[in-house]
Amino acid sequence: MDTGRAAHSAGEAIPGPVPDGDRPLPAERTDPVPFTPDTLLWDMVGDIRVLLYLPAALVLQVAHPAVGAGVDEHSVFRTDPWGRARRSLDSLQLWVYGGDRAVEEGRRLRRLHRDIKGTDTRGRPYHALTPAPYAWVHATGFPVFLRAAEYLFRPFDEAGERRLHAEARRLGRILGIRERDMPGSVEEFWTYFDTVVRDELERTVVVEELLDPRRSVPPPDGAGAVLRLLWPVLRPALLRLQVFVTKGLLPPVARERLDVPWTPSDERRLRLLGRVVRTVVPRLPGRLRYLPVAHAARRAARA
């Protein structure tokens, strides 16, 4: 089954000699280890290309019936889409660039989700912190990071993929996910991923909305008069681009499961867009290439 793994043969691969591979952190360390500038996620998560690939992870998350129901019933993504997106990005940046604050952010998120519960589309009771769906939300990052690397950055070789998986597990510890709820190796991950896609995922109401380029989205918070005036013209084009990239960065097995059409012509267009992005973004100055929290952390690390 095609899980949408990164194509190792395409382009220049990112090497990844891994000192500790997929091995767990030393037993004597009780707190999660903060991320540092020598990690892969340090380079990827703060780059503005996260705005292109993060929506694919969100679609995978809300395709799980429990997660989709929780977002449908408890999130403000419809009434405050820009505020919701900003808060999610700020939290994500803290996970990687927050140092010791990352652990507290993980605890804050768990407190925030403590009262989110209800019944999913299959009539099953859910709670946001139930281990299986909570771990799935985190697990969606790894395959989307690989897809983003293949199209928007540079593809990983096998060692780089294992290094990325080890870092994803490290991120899971920051979010309070138990070791036994995270696949221990790349091979175990793809078995787990294929099983969840086959047995759990469905085209939920929230998936339908996120993949609809005609949905209503207000102008960004604080938009000036000119942007508000032009928004009716800009919004359809921006949403079409966002939905197109989101569909393309979904792992093929998930696209098939969610009945998301994707043609060879679409694939060629996405690869062309990826070449443009890979050419332009690395040439941007740091204050434009990286989100504010990441830019500040990178400057502090250099200093």
Side-chain angles (χ1 to χ4, degrees), residues 223-279:
V226 174
L227 180 56
R228 289 185 176 277
L229 181 65
L230 295 177
W231 188 246
V233 177
L234 296 175
R235 179 183 59 82
L238 292 175
L239 281 178
R240 284 196 299 269
L241 174 62
Q242 185 254 308
V243 170
F244 170 73
V245 175
T246 298
K247 290 179 177 179
L249 294 184
L250 288 173
V253 67
R255 279 203 304 256
E256 180 180 354
R257 174 65 176 170
L258 300 177
D259 195 24
V260 175
W262 190 253
T263 68
S265 175
D266 291 332
E267 182 69 16
R268 289 191 295 271
R269 289 167 56 210
L270 181 62
R271 291 197 176 275
L272 176 60
L273 175 64
R275 286 197 292 272
V276 173
V277 170
R278 289 196 305 270
T279 301

Side-chain angles (χ1 to χ4, degrees), residues 33-86:
V33 178
F35 283 88
T36 51
D38 60 340
T39 57
L40 298 174
L41 291 184
W42 184 276
D43 283 334
M44 292 186 70
V45 169
D47 190 292
I48 60 168
R49 284 170 278 193
V50 70
L51 302 177
L52 290 173
Y53 67 77
L54 187 59
L58 297 178
V59 168
L60 286 177
Q61 291 167 13
V62 299
H64 191 291
V67 182
V71 171
D72 184 30
E73 297 170 2
H74 298 277
S75 176
V76 297
F77 81 99
R78 296 185 182 98
T79 57
D80 184 22
W82 295 102
R84 180 69 183 86
R86 183 182 65 253

Side-chain angles (χ1 to χ4, degrees), residues 45 57 77 90 92 132 159 197 206 241 273 290:
V45 169
F77 81 99
D90 288 346
L92 174 61
V197 169
V206 185
L241 174 62
L273 175 64
Y290 296 100

